């Protein structure tokens, strides 16, 4: 409790003292901030957005929220799960304005606490150090300071796995129901949590499929909790999967089509499908720049992991030493080269990952071995599902955000190896492990926080400039700009696709009585054109 309280103070101090207030990190975080303000304006019971141009634009051609919304029976609903905006509204109702930024911090704290409690229950040493490393040396730190639901997805993934790991064949009914409820709730958090929940459920079932009583109770708890989330989603948007999943999975609602990102209707040849799948896999694991600026990092990393996987027979010790050394060198090079840019992909953001590939030594406690089997199988199944079916990599964010639910499990697996090998006789690891720990803290606490600070200050400067314009109406073909400005008061944004739409929009605004507007076009180096309509 003392560790969690101290971490909360550190994170809150960092967020409030250094980062600009009410400034989104990305367009996705901007629309979540918008949802909170819309809920507050409508007494917290209506998720539909109030579009300021509804009368001028009945066809919804100029809505400024890129392709993040759908028209559902005349209601404009964002493609986001409802849980984080609801938490933000509740926090601000209790603690005052600005408290919504506490929500992602609480998510990361919960994930770290779940890992520490799981480690202590499994008999691992230094669970408090694991708690601090999960907060300061993993992608959880970065997602603590952005109003996004990724930290909550990772948190409930860690809680569900920790509870299921302690739910064996002889578990009591209440324990099994609680573990199942955590599994069901974790599955409902975000779209990528659906395959994670499936992977975790299958992994646990593969270990305890003969325990029909416990298995039935876990399934009952998961069904009840997931069913409750479906009822809430149905009440909000009319579909049980909610707006975070239904528009993408089943095409629910009338989605906006943007010319520059509209998918082609022509059939895709099989070689092109395979090439696209390989590209997405590379982006999820390595990032799009995997063999460009960071070529040396990936060559060292792949060589190191190959040595760890091939550690057999007489060369086992030499392969482990060489593989770990190469991985440490790879992350050292990444930290050296990453100044000013983000590490994209799963492998570039978890410096303890090589430890997962070390062979497990004898003498592991049964509880730790059971947790290792569960976490290992879950991660493998989850990655297999995501790398096979997931359509996108999530953009140039910190780490691989769609694979973030696997990060706490990878940290726990690595820490278990660290606990086993960090003893007399494990000389190599006693040297390399502190280096990996330090690299993780430097990467996320130093470079990660700096990247976030630079990005938010840049957005804050754009907000300052736009706020200084005397015109109320801003029209732009910058697809994501209005979503970065959702906290800006007194400005109405409209989006146009091309010059023809721009002229139509100007004519509509002139007919509606507007006398002055600002036109801000792509490629204009943020140089606005102030237009007088009369």
């Amino acid at each position: 409790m003392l560790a969690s309280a101290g971490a909360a103070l550190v994170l809150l101090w960092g967020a409030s003292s250094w980062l600009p207030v009410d400034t989104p990190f990305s367009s996705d975080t901007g629309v979540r901030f918008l949802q909170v303000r819309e809920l507050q304006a409508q007494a917290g019971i209506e998720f539909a957005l109030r579009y300021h141009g509804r009368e001028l634009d009945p066809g919804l051609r100029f809505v400024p929220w890129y392709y993040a919304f759908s028209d559902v029976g005349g209601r404009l609903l964002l493609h986001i799960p409802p849980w984080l905006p609801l938490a933000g509204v509740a926090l601000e109702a209790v603690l005052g304005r600005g408290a919504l930024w506490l929500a992602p911090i609480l998510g990361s704290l919960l994930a770290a606490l779940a890992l520490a409690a799981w480690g202590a229950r499994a008999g691992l040493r230094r669970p408090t150090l694991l708690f601090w490393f999960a907060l300061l040396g993993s992608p959880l730190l970065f997602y603590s300071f952005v109003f996004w639901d990724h930290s909550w997805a990772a948190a409930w993934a860690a809680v569900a796995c920790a509870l299921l790991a302690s739910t064996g064949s002889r578990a009591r009914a209440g324990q099994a129901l609680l573990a199942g409820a955590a599994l069901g709730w974790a599955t409902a958090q975000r779209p990528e949590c659906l395959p994670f929940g499936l992977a975790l459920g299958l992994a646990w079932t593969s270990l305890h499929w003969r325990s029909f009583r416990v298995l039935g109770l876990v399934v009952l708890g998961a069904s009840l909790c997931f069913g409750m989330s479906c009822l809430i989603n149905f009440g909000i948007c009319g579909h049980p999967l909610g707006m975070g999943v239904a528009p993408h999975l089943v095409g629910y609602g009338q989605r906006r089509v943007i010319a520059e990102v509209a998918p082609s209707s022509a059939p895709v040849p099989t070689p092109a499908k395979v090439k696209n799948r390989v590209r997405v896999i590379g982006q999820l694991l390595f990032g799009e720049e995997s063999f460009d600026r960071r070529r040396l990092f990936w060559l060292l990393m792949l060589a190191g992991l190959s040595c760890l996987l091939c550690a057999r027979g007489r060369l086992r010790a030499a392969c482990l030493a060489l593989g770990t050394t190469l991985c440490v060198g790879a992350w050292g090079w990444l930290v050296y080269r990453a100044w000013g840019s983000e590490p994209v992909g799963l492998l570039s953001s978890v410096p303890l990952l090589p430890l997962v590939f070390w062979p497990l030594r004898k003498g592991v406690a049964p509880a730790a071995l059971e947790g290792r089997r569960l976490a290992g199988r879950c991660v493998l199944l989850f990655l297999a599902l995501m790398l096979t079916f997931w359509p996108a990599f999530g953009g140039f964010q910190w780490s691989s955000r769609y694979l973030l639910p696997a990060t706490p499990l990878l940290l726990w697996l690595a820490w278990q190896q660290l606990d086993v090998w960090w003893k007399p006789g494990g000389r190599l690891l006693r040297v390399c492990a502190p280096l990996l720990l330090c690299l993780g803290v430097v990467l996320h606490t130093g470079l990660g926080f700096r990247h976030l600070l630079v990005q938010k200050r840049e957005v804050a400067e754009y907000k300052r400039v736009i706020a200084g314009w005397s015109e109320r109406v801003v029209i732009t073909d910058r697809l994501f700009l209005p979503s970065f400005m959702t906290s800006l008061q007194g400005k109405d944004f409209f989006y146009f696709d091309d010059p023809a739409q721009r002229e139509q929009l100007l004519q509509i605004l002139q007919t509606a009585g507007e006398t002055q507007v600002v036109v801000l076009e792509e490629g204009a180096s943020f140089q606005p054109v102030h237009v007088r309509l009369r």
Side-chain angles (χ1 to χ4, degrees), residues 343-428:
V344 180
L346 178 67
L347 296 180
S348 63
S349 59
V350 186
L352 286 183
L353 186 65
L355 302 184
V356 178
F357 294 88
W358 276 58
L360 194 64
R361 297 179 65 174
K362 296 180 180 180
V364 180
L369 191 59
E370 184 79 4
R372 177 178 177 82
R373 292 195 186 105
L374 177 63
R377 294 183 186 186
C378 177
V379 168
L380 287 176
L381 284 171
F382 176 60
L383 291 180
L385 289 170
M386 293 294 288
L387 298 181
T388 303
F389 300 108
W390 202 253
F393 86 112
F396 291 103
Q397 317 294 345
W398 197 264
S399 181
S400 181
R401 63 187 183 96
Y402 288 143
L403 299 182
L404 198 64
T407 298
L409 277 63
L410 290 172
L411 290 176
W412 194 88
L413 289 169
W415 204 265
Q416 186 190 47
Q417 289 283 41
L418 188 63
D419 182 74
V420 172
W421 281 90
W422 209 339
K423 294 177 181 178
R427 298 177 182 177
L428 171 67

Side-chain angles (χ1 to χ4, degrees), residues 89-336:
V89 171
L91 286 170
E92 289 204 339
V94 175
L95 301 177
R97 195 167 183 86
L100 61 88
W101 300 101
L102 182 62
I105 293 174
L106 291 176
S108 295
L109 283 173
L110 180 60
L113 282 172
L115 286 179
W118 184 10
R121 189 178 182 88
L124 301 186
R125 298 178 297 172
R126 306 178 184 90
T128 303
L129 187 59
L130 171 59
F131 170 84
W132 281 106
F133 182 77
L135 280 178
L136 302 180
S138 80
L140 290 175
L141 177 75
F142 184 86
Y143 288 99
S144 299
F145 297 117
V146 293
F147 193 66
W148 222 338
D149 26 34
H150 288 292
S151 66
W152 279 106
W156 290 110
V159 169
C161 201
L163 289 175
L164 284 171
S166 61
T167 304
S169 303
R170 298 181 180 178
R172 290 178 293 182
Q175 183 181 3
L177 282 172
L178 180 62
L183 173 61
W185 185 242
T187 306
Q189 292 303 304
R190 281 187 50 85
E192 66 270 19
C193 291
L194 287 173
F196 178 85
L198 177 61
L200 181 55
L202 290 175
W204 188 88
T205 303
S206 70
L207 295 172
H208 302 285
W209 62 273
R210 294 182 180 179
S211 306
F212 296 109
R213 181 187 67 87
V214 178
L215 177 59
L217 290 170
V218 169
V219 171
L220 177 61
S223 301
L224 288 174
C225 203
F226 186 72
M228 180 186 68
S229 72
C230 289
L231 287 175
I232 296 173
N233 279 322
F234 187 82
I236 291 173
C237 69
H239 196 285
L241 293 179
M243 293 304 296
V245 176
H248 310 287
L249 188 63
V250 298
Y252 182 66
Q254 184 177 353
R255 300 184 64 179
R256 195 232 195 104
V257 178
I258 300 294
E260 63 183 84
V261 294
S264 173
S265 58
V268 180
T270 300
K273 290 182 180 179
V274 173
K275 183 178 180 180
N276 182 66
R277 176 48 43 192
V278 172
R279 178 181 60 84
V280 172
I281 290 173
Q283 289 170 335
L284 286 170
L285 293 179
F286 305 111
E288 195 168 27
E289 297 175 317
S290 54
F291 294 103
D292 188 9
R293 286 190 303 165
R294 298 172 187 160
R295 184 183 295 110
L296 181 59
F297 169 75
W298 297 118
L299 291 175
L300 291 173
M301 177 57 58
L302 292 175
L305 294 180
S306 299
C307 288
L308 293 177
L309 290 172
C310 296
R312 298 288 186 276
R314 296 179 180 180
L315 298 178
R316 180 172 177 271
C319 287
L320 290 177
L322 179 60
T324 305
T325 304
L326 288 172
C327 290
V328 171
W331 262 293
W333 175 254
L334 177 65
V335 170
Y336 171 72

